[in-house]
Amino acid sequence: MRAQRPGFGCLRGLARSPRRAGRLALRFLRPEAVWLLLGALPLLALHLRRLRRRVVPVASIHLWRELAGAGAGRTGFRRLREAGALALLLAALLALTASLAAPVTGAAATRARSLVVILDASVSMNTRDGDATRFESGRAAARQAVARLAADDDVTLWLADGGAWVIAEPTADRGVIARALDGARPTLAPRSLDRALALARRALSLRRVRATLLVISDPGGAASLADEDEIAIAAVGDAAIRNAAVLGVTRTESGVRVHLAQLAGAPGERTLRVTVDGETVAELPAILTAGRESSLDVLVPERVVGASGILEARLVPPDDFVDDDANGLILRSAAPLRVVVTAPGAKVAPFLLEALRAMPSIVDADAALLASPDAAAGVLAAADVVIAEGHLPAALPADRPVLAFLDGPQSVPKPLLWGVGSHPVLDGVNLAPLRLDRALPLTAVASEVVLVDSASGPLAVAGETDGVRRVRLGFRAAASTLPLEPAFPLLVLNALRWLRSGDTLPDAVASEAPIRLSGVLPEQIDSLLMTLGETTTRVSLGPDRADPPAPVPEPGGARLLRLGLPGGASLGTTVVQWRLPRGALDADGEPRPLQAALARLPPPLPPDAPFHRLAPFLAAAAAAFLLLGSFLLSEREPGSRGAGSPSAA
């Protein structure tokens, strides 16, 4: 049996201890300075040259013999002094070289590490696992990863929310990182980890630094990066998800039709609750089949069918993904309009009256009034819509919608028609056969759309000013061929519907689907104001004036969408119906603990290993050695009277 040497065990234990090894470690930050040690060669050469005796021819050595005396020659003290001077100069060179090489001890001698965290904020991160969502768990994992780093390590935070955004630039300030994480929010956008990873790598290449990439996602996101070997991945959440969704809601004659689907997991016992402005109007069991869509017709009270408000269909209790548990639409009042028809002498064209009687669901014929243009303001204020023939009533309230067939002294005979616009008032209306005996050219304001144009100017316009809609036709029906065409009652019907709704938008619109606005906006309008909840966004229509897409709502956020013109006029309100994209909650993947991902990071630095820079001390030692060496070289030998000539002696 071989005995163990004393003292070696403690050295091996020291090597195994990261803290003690970190405390005793010595590193040179600029090792290339070692080339300065070649300066020792000239010093040695000068020293050897100094040791050689010089032969000086003189006329007589009598005086030199007296000058040198008995101490002539190289004494032991002189040899010791020269050897000491050489040693001090070499020591000064060594200390200077070591100082320029920047030696350091302690844990901070290693270069500061860089960590890049990519936090998934896509739709699947809204899934709830227990008491927290996956995004909240991912945010907590990011905090743990940052807490593992040393004080001088820098962190970069990326948020992958359908795009890729830097929410915290490279910094060692932990307060900045904490505030960025606190302000991060998940979205309902699709997953974009590949794009975020590519941009993060490009940013690192521009910085020319090496960093550890940590991606925090769910099992599905981790599975999408299975081919990536050079990154650390933490997958939070459980792969088993149960989710049923309300895909959409549509109107029926007696209520609403709710479209349902079981998107993930086995169906559970769910209840469909239908509310209008928060009041429950229907509640019934939801019929769900795994992997299939179904529709459920819900009867609602008659008072609700004709009412106005916001209808919502919601599955209760909530499941693992709550954002698609509800959808809704806007109920718009369908009550017949009370109209006042004004004409000179209260003599209204008979074909206009017949057109109004033919639409009992739109116009309340029993409540309709005939009046002259000088009718009192109280009579006109009682109407939902004022229909004027000839000219507008003098006492017309500013907040009344108007359908006007105008005439006046400025009317031109038989104007040449050359254009018909696009607008809900003209839906299905064929004005190609229209002929006019006389018409009054109109001036369109900024918020009005030209319906019929001519060589003399606009002859029909429609628009909204200060929240009030008006349709103005620059001709009376009797002065045209319009009453002889099927287009006339349809034109009046479309105009009254548009005036009654006070809303251009449909009852509901699918998120990211185009919002039909063609023909509604004036030509000079190039942008819209889109308000979803508390957020207002200016949307450019572009040169082709394409219909803008409906926005994607925020998780748990408002679904009520308002559109308006930059000048303040409203285009209406609708509800954004959002549905979960297929495959967004895929369960192809397994959870990956954070600790396994953090194992890919460099080991943490020991907190009790101080950082020391030795360069100042070595520089001071070099200066001291240099001064002592210079002093020894300049010191005279004891007993010598000088090194001059005999005459000087």
Side-chain angles (χ1 to χ4, degrees):
M1 183 175 180
R2 185 165 53 187
Q4 185 176 1
R5 296 183 180 179
F8 279 59
C10 66
L11 292 180
R12 285 194 292 270
L14 180 63
R16 287 194 300 266
S17 173
R19 297 195 178 197
R20 296 170 68 184
R23 184 180 298 116
L24 299 179
L26 176 65
R27 290 194 177 187
F28 294 94
L29 301 184
R30 292 190 296 272
E32 60 274 10
V34 72
W35 291 102
L36 290 177
L37 291 177
L38 295 178
L41 297 179
L43 286 178
L44 291 174
L46 291 175
H47 176 71
L48 294 176
R49 186 176 183 279
R50 179 181 176 83
L51 295 180
R52 293 175 54 190
R53 295 186 176 186
R54 288 190 304 162
V55 178
V56 181
V58 295
S60 173
I61 63 171
H62 176 71
L63 295 179
W64 286 94
R65 184 179 295 114
E66 292 182 359
L67 177 65
R74 188 174 301 275
T75 65
F77 178 78
R78 182 176 180 181
R79 293 190 186 94
L80 180 61
R81 186 184 64 190
E82 291 179 349
L86 176 63
L88 288 173
L89 291 178
L90 291 176
L93 176 63
L94 180 61
L96 179 62
T97 302
S99 174
L100 294 178
V104 291
T105 61
T110 59
R111 183 176 299 175
R113 299 171 298 178
S114 295
L115 175 65
V116 177
V117 179
I118 300 176
L119 181 58
D120 190 0
S122 62
V123 56
S124 62
M125 296 296 285
N126 294 278
T127 305
R128 185 167 292 275
D129 293 300
D131 297 332
T133 64
R134 292 178 175 180
F135 185 82
E136 292 169 346
S137 300
R139 186 161 49 189
R143 291 193 180 100
Q144 294 180 35
V146 173
R148 179 185 173 90
L149 302 177
D152 58 339
D153 294 340
D154 64 80
V155 181
T156 307
L157 289 181
W158 287 77
L159 198 67
D161 58 352
W165 310 95
V166 177
I167 61 174
E169 295 184 352
T171 179
D173 189 340
R174 298 299 180 257
V176 173
I177 300 299
R179 288 190 293 272
L181 287 174
D182 292 339
R185 295 291 182 271
T187 66
L188 297 180
R191 189 178 292 134
S192 59
L193 291 177
D194 291 340
R195 180 180 180 186
L197 191 58
L199 291 177
R201 282 173 169 163
R202 183 178 180 184
L204 287 176
S205 66
L206 294 176
R207 290 180 59 200
R208 297 182 179 179
V209 298
R210 295 182 60 86
T212 301
L213 284 167
L214 173 62
V215 178
I216 302 177
S217 183
D218 58 0
S224 68
L225 300 177
D227 297 334
E228 297 286 348
D229 297 329
E230 298 180 355
I231 61 175
I233 303 176
V236 296
D238 191 356
I241 302 172
R242 189 166 66 176
N243 177 51
V246 177
L247 303 180
V249 184
T250 56
R251 292 286 297 269
T252 63
E253 291 295 331
S254 56
V256 293
R257 178 169 296 164
V258 183
H259 305 275
L260 306 172
Q262 183 72 32
L263 300 180
E269 294 184 2
R270 307 290 296 277
T271 299
L272 181 65
R273 181 179 297 162
V274 180
T275 61
V276 176
D277 290 340
E279 178 186 357
T280 301
V281 297
E283 195 168 291
L284 64 163
I287 302 174
L288 298 168
T289 305
R292 297 183 58 184
E293 298 182 6
S294 59
S295 298
L296 189 61
D297 288 331
V298 182
L299 300 177
V300 297
E302 293 185 5
R303 62 180 177 83
V304 176
V305 176
S308 60
I310 301 177
L311 182 142
E312 181 187 73
R314 178 178 292 275
L315 288 171
V316 293
D319 55 17
D320 294 339
F321 190 84
V322 300
D323 286 285
D324 62 354
D325 284 352
N327 255 321
L329 50 78
I330 288 184
L331 296 176
R332 308 194 192 278
S333 175
L337 294 171
R338 296 171 296 174
V339 300
V340 172
V341 185
T342 64
K347 295 181 180 180
V348 183
F351 32 81
L352 178 57
L353 294 178
E354 291 299 325
L356 295 177
R357 291 192 184 101
M359 51 186 79
S361 62
I362 302 298
V363 176
D364 187 354
D366 296 334
L369 297 177
L370 302 180
S372 61
D374 57 355
V379 175
L380 302 175
D384 296 321
V385 175
V386 174
I387 301 176
E389 272 204 306
H391 55 85
L392 295 175
L396 177 67
D399 60 348
R400 293 298 93 180
V402 174
L403 170 60
F405 298 87
L406 303 176
D407 194 3
Q410 293 80 21
S411 297
V412 296
K414 297 182 178 181
L416 177 62
L417 305 182
W418 62 11
V420 176
S422 176
H423 194 273
V425 173
L426 299 179
D427 284 349
V429 177
N430 182 17
L431 295 180
L434 178 62
R435 298 293 182 270
L436 302 176
D437 289 338
R438 52 186 289 116
L440 177 66
L442 305 173
T443 301
V445 299
S447 59
E448 289 182 321
V449 176
V450 176
L451 305 182
V452 179
D453 207 353
S454 73
S456 303
L459 300 182
V461 296
E464 182 176 351
T465 304
D466 296 331
V468 180
R469 292 185 171 184
R470 294 187 176 181
V471 178
R472 297 184 295 149
L473 306 178
F475 54 89
R476 301 182 66 173
S480 69
T481 59
L482 191 59
L484 305 177
E485 303 291 340
F488 179 68
L490 183 57
L491 176 67
V492 176
L493 176 64
N494 289 344
L496 292 177
R497 280 178 172 171
W498 186 71
L499 292 172
R500 178 184 67 179
S501 69
D503 218 320
T504 303
L505 305 182
D507 296 338
V509 60
S511 62
E512 299 185 296
I515 305 173
R516 184 183 177 277
L517 294 173
S518 57
V520 177
L521 300 177
E523 292 295 329
Q524 61 270 29
I525 299 298
D526 59 358
S527 62
L528 297 174
L529 297 180
M530 191 176 294
T531 303
L532 186 63
E534 301 296 328
T535 304
T536 299
T537 306
R538 192 182 188 97
V539 180
S540 176
L541 299 179
D544 54 353
R545 297 178 61 82
D547 293 333
V552 177
E554 295 293 329
R559 304 287 180 93
L560 194 64
L561 177 66
R562 298 179 179 88
L563 259 69
L565 300 179
S570 174
L571 294 177
T573 306
T574 187
V575 170
V576 177
Q577 291 189 354
W578 180 84
R579 64 186 298 174
L580 185 70
R582 288 189 176 275
L585 299 185
D586 48 19
D588 297 333
E590 295 296 332
R592 299 191 184 188
L594 176 65
Q595 296 304 323
L598 293 182
R600 303 285 300 269
L601 296 175
L605 299 179
D608 59 346
F611 178 76
H612 295 299
R613 297 182 183 274
L614 304 181
F617 304 101
L618 292 173
F625 292 151
L626 183 61
L627 289 176
L628 288 175
S630 302
F631 174 76
L632 291 179
L633 288 178
S634 62
E635 182 68 17
R636 289 186 178 90
E637 214 175 294
S640 66
R641 297 167 54 187
S645 62
S647 60

